[in-house]
Amino acid sequence: MSTLPPFPWSSCKASTSVVPLGDYLHTHGSSLARKAADAPTPPDPDLKQQCASHAVQAQAAQGWIKSRFESCQKRPYDLVLRDTRGTTTLGRLKFDQWILGFSYDGSRRVDYVASIENIWVQPIPTEDATKWRVGQHFRQSINASTSDPNPQVTEPQTKERDELLGVWDRAPQWALTYTSPDRGPLFAQGNQQRVYSTVVMDLTASSPNSTPYGGGVDNYHSSVRYDYAGRPAGKYKGTVFTAARVELVMSQKDPAAKESALHIYDALNRPERTFASWPGKTVPGAKEPLHRIIDPDKVEANRDNSIDECRKVWGNYAGSGLECDEYPFASTEEGSLKGDNRFSVRLIDGPDNRKGGEYINAVYTLNRVLNGDPFYVKITN
């Protein structure tokens, strides 16, 4: 078998046009023909609709990562079946592969809902498409070098599904659940029970008379992290898709934090307007990620240093109602003590400064941003 670009398809000499599998099964008297009542209900139709609207990203090996808790892959296939000698075309097979991924804030678990849908066939007159098959084969591995001690993942009992096309047409979806056992709260001892795992799926397609399709190895990749990190993560344990882009979005039109937003905007886009000032200054966060730090002593040291920088520029501002705002944040590795002077401090309204802090803390807890995790900052108008 081989992949083909979309229409037109001139290499197949079939006497019939490509038709939906259901129509083919009905005309060929197959007992696998789907009944109307058998049509499945998607577990999350909104995610499927959003995934379809991100078609380019959804076709990639990692799919479209909506958030740290939702991901999806929609990958269309257009295959040519050839005999075992590779000289005779037996037909054409088209279908969509879907994988919906769900991780959880509050549970060391990840679910995948996989399916083969929208199947079309075009066999030559002497070929029987009711005997064609498609398979999805999941496998999982643990990165022990980045995980905490004794990392474990419990895999689902069924990890493979290799079916006749008619079976897929009748029951397109199946589900897999992976979990990581925990040993209770050990984060106070420095053990967050982090397990970094990769789930991979291989796709196969075959028929009794054809050469098996060999282009489906590593068809899908999903990188996940299980943790029991405690209070800094929000809910004490959970699972995330590590490829998700975590982003703090603030608006200059937000009356509660407009000064904070303007300060960050200037630091990212007009650094010459910020202090400390030096030629060629750039500040990370938009294209270069920031990285969270959780150690309260390091956070406080960054904050104290930033306050000292504010006093160097504006003197004693006590009693003014203003506070020293810093960017990158004191809770990041890129804070003012990093040593590269790629930071900015500014006096802003006290409540505005505190509201900005609330926003960043919400991003941390809602996305399970742990120590060292990357995230980005975006300022809108």
Side-chain angles (χ1 to χ4, degrees):
M1 295 186 183
S2 59
T3 58
L4 274 184
F7 295 96
W9 185 55
S10 59
S11 60
C12 180
K13 306 304 182 184
S15 60
T16 59
S17 61
V18 60
V19 296
L21 178 65
D23 294 349
Y24 180 86
L25 294 175
H26 278 297
T27 59
H28 286 71
S30 173
S31 62
L32 295 175
R34 184 198 294 181
K35 302 175 183 178
D38 292 329
T41 300
D44 189 337
D46 290 338
L47 180 59
K48 291 193 73 172
Q49 184 177 13
Q50 294 166 16
C51 187
S53 68
H54 292 81
V56 175
Q57 299 99 312
Q59 291 185 43
Q62 70 176 14
W64 173 59
I65 313 296
K66 177 184 176 182
S67 71
R68 284 201 141 188
F69 306 106
E70 290 185 304
S71 66
C72 70
Q73 184 189 65
K74 181 190 179 184
R75 197 164 189 171
Y77 276 84
D78 193 347
L79 307 179
V80 175
L81 284 71
R82 293 190 174 90
D83 66 3
T84 55
R85 294 174 297 176
T87 57
T88 302
T89 298
L90 302 178
R92 181 183 188 182
L93 170 61
K94 294 180 61 182
F95 57 87
D96 292 333
Q97 173 184 273
W98 284 89
I99 302 178
L100 306 180
F102 304 92
S103 58
Y104 300 95
D105 189 16
S107 177
R108 292 167 63 90
R109 166 179 173 166
V110 59
D111 291 328
Y112 298 96
V113 179
S115 62
I116 300 295
E117 304 180 25
N118 192 30
I119 306 172
W120 292 63
V121 296
Q122 187 181 7
I124 62 175
T126 57
E127 181 70 6
D128 184 0
T130 65
K131 298 179 180 179
W132 294 359
R133 306 178 68 92
V134 172
Q136 291 179 320
H137 312 265
F138 284 80
R139 48 195 169 88
Q140 183 266 154
S141 62
I142 293 174
N143 189 335
S145 64
T146 56
S147 299
D148 287 327
N150 193 30
Q152 297 179 28
V153 171
T154 302
E155 299 184 359
Q157 184 174 0
T158 301
K159 294 178 289 185
E160 298 183 326
R161 185 179 172 192
D162 192 319
E163 307 274 20
L164 295 169
L165 297 186
V167 178
W168 283 113
D169 188 62
R170 191 178 189 89
Q173 297 175 346
W174 62 303
L176 303 93
T177 296
Y178 295 82
T179 60
S180 180
D182 65 66
R183 293 175 284 159
L186 301 177
F187 46 83
Q189 305 170 32
N191 185 356
Q192 298 181 339
Q193 300 179 66
R194 294 169 300 173
V195 179
Y196 288 88
S197 169
T198 300
V199 174
V200 178
M201 193 219 67
D202 302 326
L203 180 89
T204 59
S206 62
S207 80
N209 302 317
S210 73
T211 301
Y213 170 59
V217 178
D218 293 349
N219 173 273
Y220 173 72
H221 285 256
S222 177
S223 298
V224 299
R225 183 196 66 206
Y226 308 83
D227 76 80
Y228 199 146
R231 187 181 301 277
K235 295 183 180 178
Y236 274 50
K237 55 185 174 181
T239 309
V240 299
F241 295 115
T242 58
R245 179 185 174 97
V246 178
E247 192 170 62
L248 166 66
V249 180
M250 295 177 63
S251 171
Q252 295 183 61
K253 294 184 178 180
D254 179 358
K258 61 182 180 181
E259 293 185 28
S260 298
L262 177 60
H263 181 201
I264 297 172
Y265 180 86
D266 284 345
L268 294 175
N269 299 282
R270 300 179 292 205
E272 69 278 0
R273 299 187 180 188
T274 65
F275 297 98
S277 179
W278 49 273
K281 177 181 177 180
T282 60
V283 181
K287 295 181 179 179
E288 301 173 62
L290 305 180
H291 299 81
R292 186 186 184 187
I293 56 173
I294 292 178
D295 186 326
D297 293 335
K298 293 181 179 179
V299 174
E300 191 63 27
N302 269 335
R303 184 171 292 115
D304 289 344
N305 186 68
S306 296
I307 291 173
D308 289 341
E309 292 294 325
C310 276
R311 288 173 178 157
K312 290 178 184 178
V313 179
W314 290 282
N316 185 0
Y317 55 88
S320 66
L322 302 177
E323 295 181 0
C324 184
D325 185 41
E326 62 207 320
Y327 179 82
F329 314 108
S331 57
T332 66
E333 295 175 5
E334 294 73 21
S336 63
L337 273 180
K338 183 177 181 181
D340 58 6
N341 283 327
R342 298 178 67 199
F343 69 92
S344 173
V345 294
R346 177 178 294 179
L347 293 184
I348 66 172
D349 177 67
D352 188 303
N353 182 47
R354 292 189 288 276
K355 180 58 69 173
E358 291 176 11
Y359 289 163
I360 183 58
N361 285 330
V363 167
Y364 289 158
T365 57
L366 293 176
N367 292 279
R368 302 197 65 79
V369 179
L370 304 187
N371 192 69
D373 280 2
F375 67 98
Y376 296 84
V377 180
K378 179 180 180 180
I379 304 300
T380 68
N381 289 321

